[in-house]
Amino acid sequence: MNFQIRPLLLITSITILSLTQTANANRIGIKMPSEPKLISAPTACKSLDDWNEPTHARRIYGNTWYVGTCGISVVLIATPNGHVLIDSAPQKASEAVRQNILSLGVKLSDIKTILITHEHHDHMGGLASMQAATEAKVLSRSNIVDVLKSGKNDRRDPQFDELSGFDPVANVHAFEDAGTIAIGDKKIQHLPMAGHAPGGSGWTWQECEKSVCKNLVFADSLGSISDATYRYSAPDSLANALRESSQRVAKTACDILITGHGTASDLLARLDGAKPLADTQACVNYAQTGMLRLEERLKKEMVK
Ligand SMILES: [Zn+2]
C-alpha cells in the first residue's frame, strides 16, 4: 500500500518545487538600469577618435544608454524582458564596455540579444567575448552569418585588405532584413544599410521620458572608405547599396541620431549637454554628407 503511494508523493513534491522555482524567477525578474555609479569623477576623453579609451556610461534617452568608449559607440536598450546591446567595440575595449554596463546596476546575463551595425573589428571585435560573458543570442543579417562565425571578413568588403578579422562568434542567428526585433513591448526596426560594409545595419526604436517620445536611430557608417584595390566605381561595387542606405536613413523618422563613431554626430558632446541632443534633421544631414563623400570618391576614381 505504502509502496504504491510513494510515487504519487514524489510527483506532488516535484510539482511544488517547479512552481516555487517559477515564482522565484518571476520575482527576481530583469533589473532595469539606473544612473551609473561612478568610482571617480568622469574625466574628459583625451581623444574622441580613440577606440579603446574608456569613458563612463551615460543615459541617451529613456531606457537607452551609451556604454561605449571615447571613440566607439555601444548602446544598451533596456527592457524588463531582457536587454539588447548594439555593437561591442574592439576586443581591447570590451572589458571597459562591460564595466560600463555593470555601472548601471544591471547583470551581464540580463543582456539577452546582441545586434551589430557592421562587421568591422572596431565596432564588434569584442563581440565574441561579450557573447561569452552574457550568453546572449547574436542576431545577424543572413549575408554575414558566416563572417561572424568564422571571424574572417571576405572580399566583398571594401576594406578587405586592411581588416584584421576578429574572434569567431558563437550563438549567431540570422534575422530577416528590414524586419523588427520585438522584445516585450520594445520594437527595434532594422534598416538595411550595406555600403560601407556588405552587412551594414541601422536600427531605430522609440524611447519615452514621461510623455515625450523620441525616435532614436543608430545609423551605420556611410563612409566610402576602402583598401588600395577596391573601386566603388566598379559595376559590382557597394556604391548603389550605399546610395540606397543613405536614402533609407534620410527617410527614417529621426529625433536622436547615434553613430558608431561618435564624432560623426558629435554624440558625446550632445550627451553631455554641450550641444542639443535631438535634431530632426540630423539623419538627413548625415545621409547628405555620406552621399557627397561617395560622389567625391567616384570622381577621384575616374581620374585615376
Ligand atoms: Zn567600418
mmCIF file of all heavy atoms in Angstrom, residues 118 120 122-123 159 196 221 261, ligand 1:
data_model
loop_
_atom_site.group_PDB
_atom_site.id
_atom_site.type_symbol
_atom_site.label_atom_id
_atom_site.label_comp_id
_atom_site.label_asym_id
_atom_site.label_seq_id
_atom_site.Cartn_x
_atom_site.Cartn_y
_atom_site.Cartn_z
ATOM 1 N N HIS A 118 28.007 46.972 -38.200
ATOM 2 C CA HIS A 118 28.671 46.274 -39.309
ATOM 3 C C HIS A 118 29.876 45.470 -38.843
ATOM 4 O O HIS A 118 30.383 45.673 -37.744
ATOM 5 C CB HIS A 118 29.009 47.234 -40.452
ATOM 6 C CG HIS A 118 30.102 48.211 -40.141
ATOM 7 N ND1 HIS A 118 29.848 49.464 -39.641
ATOM 8 C CD2 HIS A 118 31.447 48.122 -40.265
ATOM 9 C CE1 HIS A 118 30.995 50.103 -39.476
ATOM 10 N NE2 HIS A 118 31.994 49.317 -39.833
ATOM 11 N N HIS A 120 33.043 45.085 -38.801
ATOM 12 C CA HIS A 120 34.420 45.542 -38.730
ATOM 13 C C HIS A 120 34.868 45.516 -37.275
ATOM 14 O O HIS A 120 34.093 45.860 -36.381
ATOM 15 C CB HIS A 120 34.576 46.951 -39.309
ATOM 16 C CG HIS A 120 34.469 46.984 -40.805
ATOM 17 N ND1 HIS A 120 34.315 48.147 -41.512
ATOM 18 C CD2 HIS A 120 34.509 45.974 -41.729
ATOM 19 C CE1 HIS A 120 34.256 47.867 -42.810
ATOM 20 N NE2 HIS A 120 34.361 46.552 -42.962
ATOM 21 N N ASP A 122 36.545 47.319 -35.286
ATOM 22 C CA ASP A 122 36.447 48.450 -34.352
ATOM 23 C C ASP A 122 35.069 48.510 -33.683
ATOM 24 O O ASP A 122 34.930 48.999 -32.569
ATOM 25 C CB ASP A 122 36.788 49.799 -35.020
ATOM 26 C CG ASP A 122 36.120 50.008 -36.363
ATOM 27 O OD1 ASP A 122 35.641 49.031 -36.965
ATOM 28 O OD2 ASP A 122 36.068 51.171 -36.821
ATOM 29 N N HIS A 123 34.050 47.974 -34.348
ATOM 30 C CA HIS A 123 32.693 48.006 -33.774
ATOM 31 C C HIS A 123 32.293 46.698 -33.099
ATOM 32 O O HIS A 123 31.401 46.705 -32.251
ATOM 33 C CB HIS A 123 31.673 48.354 -34.866
ATOM 34 C CG HIS A 123 31.968 49.670 -35.509
ATOM 35 N ND1 HIS A 123 31.651 50.866 -34.905
ATOM 36 C CD2 HIS A 123 32.614 49.972 -36.660
ATOM 37 C CE1 HIS A 123 32.066 51.862 -35.677
ATOM 38 N NE2 HIS A 123 32.661 51.342 -36.746
ATOM 39 N N GLN A 159 37.093 47.196 -47.484
ATOM 40 C CA GLN A 159 38.343 47.350 -46.724
ATOM 41 C C GLN A 159 39.057 46.020 -46.498
ATOM 42 O O GLN A 159 39.939 45.930 -45.633
ATOM 43 C CB GLN A 159 38.041 48.008 -45.371
ATOM 44 C CG GLN A 159 37.508 49.417 -45.480
ATOM 45 C CD GLN A 159 37.262 50.039 -44.111
ATOM 46 O OE1 GLN A 159 38.127 50.089 -43.265
ATOM 47 N NE2 GLN A 159 36.041 50.501 -43.887
ATOM 48 N N HIS A 196 29.101 50.761 -46.667
ATOM 49 C CA HIS A 196 30.409 50.854 -46.013
ATOM 50 C C HIS A 196 30.958 49.440 -45.828
ATOM 51 O O HIS A 196 32.145 49.191 -45.982
ATOM 52 C CB HIS A 196 30.237 51.570 -44.675
ATOM 53 C CG HIS A 196 31.452 51.539 -43.818
ATOM 54 N ND1 HIS A 196 32.535 52.351 -44.047
ATOM 55 C CD2 HIS A 196 31.770 50.779 -42.726
ATOM 56 C CE1 HIS A 196 33.461 52.101 -43.126
ATOM 57 N NE2 HIS A 196 33.022 51.155 -42.325
ATOM 58 N N SER A 221 27.674 53.384 -40.549
ATOM 59 C CA SER A 221 28.597 54.272 -41.264
ATOM 60 C C SER A 221 28.187 54.380 -42.734
ATOM 61 O O SER A 221 27.746 53.405 -43.340
ATOM 62 C CB SER A 221 30.016 53.720 -41.167
ATOM 63 O OG SER A 221 30.867 54.513 -41.946
ATOM 64 N N HIS A 261 30.907 55.828 -34.836
ATOM 65 C CA HIS A 261 31.988 56.727 -34.419
ATOM 66 C C HIS A 261 31.265 58.003 -33.979
ATOM 67 O O HIS A 261 30.687 58.711 -34.817
ATOM 68 C CB HIS A 261 32.948 57.019 -35.575
ATOM 69 C CG HIS A 261 33.695 55.788 -36.033
ATOM 70 N ND1 HIS A 261 34.873 55.379 -35.453
ATOM 71 C CD2 HIS A 261 33.409 54.875 -36.982
ATOM 72 C CE1 HIS A 261 35.286 54.259 -36.046
ATOM 73 N NE2 HIS A 261 34.417 53.929 -36.978
HETATM 74 ZN ZN ZN B 1 33.834 50.081 -40.638
#
